[in-house]
Amino acid sequence: MMQTKDGSRIHSIDILRGIVMIIMALDHTREFYHLTALTQDPLDPAVTTYPLFFTRWITHFCAPVFVFLSGVSAYLSSRKKTIAEASAFLMKRGLWLIIAEIVIVTFGITFNPFYNVIVLQVIWAIGMSLFLLGLLMKISNKTILLIGVILFFGHNIFDYVKGPTEGVSAAVYNLLLRAKGSAIQYAPNRIILDLYAVLPWTGVMFMGYSIGKWFTPIYSPEKRKKNLLIAGSVLVVLYIALRKTGLYGDPAQLQTAPNVLMSFLNTEKYPPSLQYLGMTLGPALLFLALMGDSNPVWGRWTAVYGRVPFFYYVLHFYILHLLAVILFFLNEYPVEKITETVFLFRPQNSGYNLAVTYLIWVCVVLVLYLPCKWFHRYKSTHNQWWLKYI
């Protein structure tokens, strides 16, 4: 819980987290239900449309804000613990999230009980980053900030480094630094699909942790707003400057054809480039600054999702995939189509237009409202140890 000096809750973080959770579900709904989701890149100007491009682009804000706010929350949850207690908790929670990604989230995505494909995404990156954060807490917060700055601003130096391409060294290199859909085969017919390189996201979390003190009760709201405005503006200006000049911060240079606007916005997420982080986290910090301590009616609705992000994240995958199974049989696809893609019961060329995809997204988000509201109330009125990990 984040509160102001007078004891009232600071709602902006829950509201922002809720917004990105809602938007995140749009991207996953597109992957499960849009007709070309598995056959075309929605960000490729040569094949996409403006509605499809921006349907994918807007979801770029989700992962960096989610990871960044996880760092803020880690700081706030550690304040009333000793360093040893906070370190142990973050390390245990990090390990739990890694296990949850492999066992619970992967199954929700694939519905494959044999786990032939293990998918490592944002929960894996958060879990590893929390574990590393717990380790470094034993040294100092200044060390966390220093490493966060180096990773956040400096990891794109590896755009100019040719890393290993084979064997264990290549797998470790991709897991830590350069993953972009890397498939690591660890046994016959078994692969790890690594989408989130850990260390660039660790930099994002460490930066969030390092500004966590701005949201403590003893910190001036006016000073917090000023700091957020400055930090957000700097990131936005840095993104624009680097994107225009192409000097550093993204492996893809700005192109004038076939669409300069799409090229300007199409920064690299895998791993998250500095330009990508400036484009997404800059506006997020400005949003937090402008929201301040306000709690509008619409924000109370989005905050329901933002207060229970892990619960929402897991549940939305299972709802999306269960609906896909139902539609698979209603459309009378042949049985051999069940295993055609990594997403069981999601044939490669199946799906609907963008309007139907949006309709499914809205319905799924609305269905999740009451379960999320119930779970938040349950967490608020119960103190079982395991609730701290969800």
Side-chain angles (χ1 to χ4, degrees):
M1 301 288 183
M2 286 146 282
Q3 298 181 331
T4 57
K5 291 179 182 179
D6 64 358
S8 61
R9 186 181 178 92
I10 295 178
H11 300 275
S12 55
I13 289 183
D14 285 337
I15 292 172
L16 177 57
R17 187 187 282 119
I19 292 171
V20 299
M21 299 304 291
I22 292 169
I23 296 172
M24 175 201 64
L26 172 60
D27 194 38
H28 298 150
T29 303
R30 179 190 60 82
E31 291 176 338
F32 272 104
Y33 297 106
H34 188 245
L35 184 60
T36 64
L38 301 183
T39 58
Q40 295 181 358
D41 180 1
L43 297 176
D44 182 356
V47 298
T48 193
T49 62
Y50 275 109
L52 182 56
F53 178 90
F54 282 103
T55 295
R56 172 57 176 144
W57 177 82
I58 193 64
T59 65
H60 275 343
F61 287 82
C62 301
V65 173
F66 193 21
V67 175
F68 186 84
L69 293 183
S70 295
V72 174
S73 297
Y75 179 89
L76 296 173
S77 69
S78 301
R79 287 191 309 118
K80 295 183 179 180
K81 300 181 177 74
T82 66
I83 293 177
E85 290 171 341
S87 173
F89 172 75
L90 291 178
M91 291 172 68
K92 286 188 289 186
R93 189 161 195 268
L95 291 174
W96 148 246
L97 288 177
I98 294 169
I99 294 170
E101 178 83 289
I102 294 171
V103 178
I104 302 173
V105 179
T106 289
F107 183 75
I109 294 171
T110 67
F111 269 20
N112 185 339
F114 303 105
Y115 289 90
N116 297 92
V117 178
I118 293 173
V119 186
L120 300 181
Q121 296 191 99
V122 68
I123 300 299
W124 140 262
I126 291 175
M128 284 293 296
S129 298
L130 283 175
F131 185 85
L132 294 173
L133 180 60
L135 283 176
L136 290 173
M137 283 181 66
K138 298 176 181 179
I139 303 175
S140 71
N141 285 350
K142 289 183 179 179
T143 301
I144 293 170
L145 174 59
L146 177 61
I147 294 175
V149 168
I150 292 172
L151 291 175
F152 190 95
F153 292 98
H155 78 272
N156 275 114
I157 196 70
F158 287 94
D159 293 341
Y160 309 98
V161 175
K162 183 175 176 58
T165 58
E166 297 180 353
V168 175
S169 58
V172 173
Y173 182 75
N174 286 330
L175 284 169
L176 293 180
L177 283 167
R178 309 308 295 165
K180 185 178 181 179
S182 302
I184 302 170
Q185 185 166 354
Y186 65 95
N189 298 317
R190 294 188 179 277
I191 65 169
I192 297 172
L193 185 59
D194 180 25
L195 301 177
Y196 278 63
V198 170
L199 292 182
W201 294 105
T202 298
V204 175
M205 177 175 285
F206 283 14
M207 296 294 277
Y209 179 88
S210 297
I211 73 159
K213 63 183 179 181
W214 297 357
F215 295 91
T216 57
I218 61 173
Y219 207 85
S220 164
E222 293 76 19
K223 188 176 181 181
R224 178 175 67 246
K225 181 176 181 179
K226 179 182 177 181
N227 290 351
L228 289 169
L229 284 172
I230 292 172
S233 299
V234 167
L235 284 178
V236 171
V237 171
L238 182 64
Y239 154 62
I240 295 172
L242 291 177
R243 196 74 186 134
K244 290 282 288 184
T245 61
L247 294 176
Y248 176 77
D250 197 280
Q253 296 294 310
L254 178 63
Q255 304 293 325
T256 58
N259 190 304
V260 67
L261 174 61
M262 290 185 182
S263 177
F264 190 84
L265 296 173
N266 189 17
T267 51
E268 184 59 62
K269 179 181 179 181
Y270 304 105
S273 69
L274 177 57
Q275 292 181 30
Y276 169 89
L277 294 174
M279 179 183 73
T280 54
L281 288 178
L285 294 178
L286 294 176
F287 176 89
L288 289 173
L290 297 175
M291 282 294 296
D293 300 338
S294 61
N295 187 26
V297 173
W298 63 267
R300 297 170 206 166
W301 182 75
T302 63
V304 168
Y305 303 103
R307 294 186 185 115
V308 289
F310 181 74
F311 178 82
Y312 172 98
Y313 184 83
V314 172
L315 193 57
H316 95 285
F317 271 123
Y318 280 82
I319 291 175
L320 285 170
H321 213 150
L322 283 170
L323 179 58
V325 173
I326 293 171
L327 292 174
F328 179 92
F329 289 109
L330 288 177
N331 285 296
E332 299 182 341
Y333 287 109
V335 174
E336 58 267 22
K337 289 282 186 179
I338 292 176
T339 58
E340 188 174 69
T341 67
V342 171
F343 311 98
L344 268 61
F345 301 96
R346 202 296 191 206
Q348 185 168 357
N349 294 308
S350 66
Y352 307 92
N353 62 32
L354 204 55
V356 175
T357 302
Y358 268 82
L359 178 61
I360 295 172
W361 167 59
V362 170
C363 291
V364 168
V365 170
L366 291 176
V367 165
L368 283 163
Y369 181 80
L370 288 180
C372 288
K373 190 173 184 179
W374 166 82
F375 188 65
H376 174 251
R377 187 182 301 116
Y378 185 87
K379 285 189 71 174
S380 301
T381 56
H382 294 74
N383 58 4
Q384 292 96 323
W385 66 269
W386 54 268
L387 288 172
K388 297 177 182 178
Y389 294 87
I390 298 179

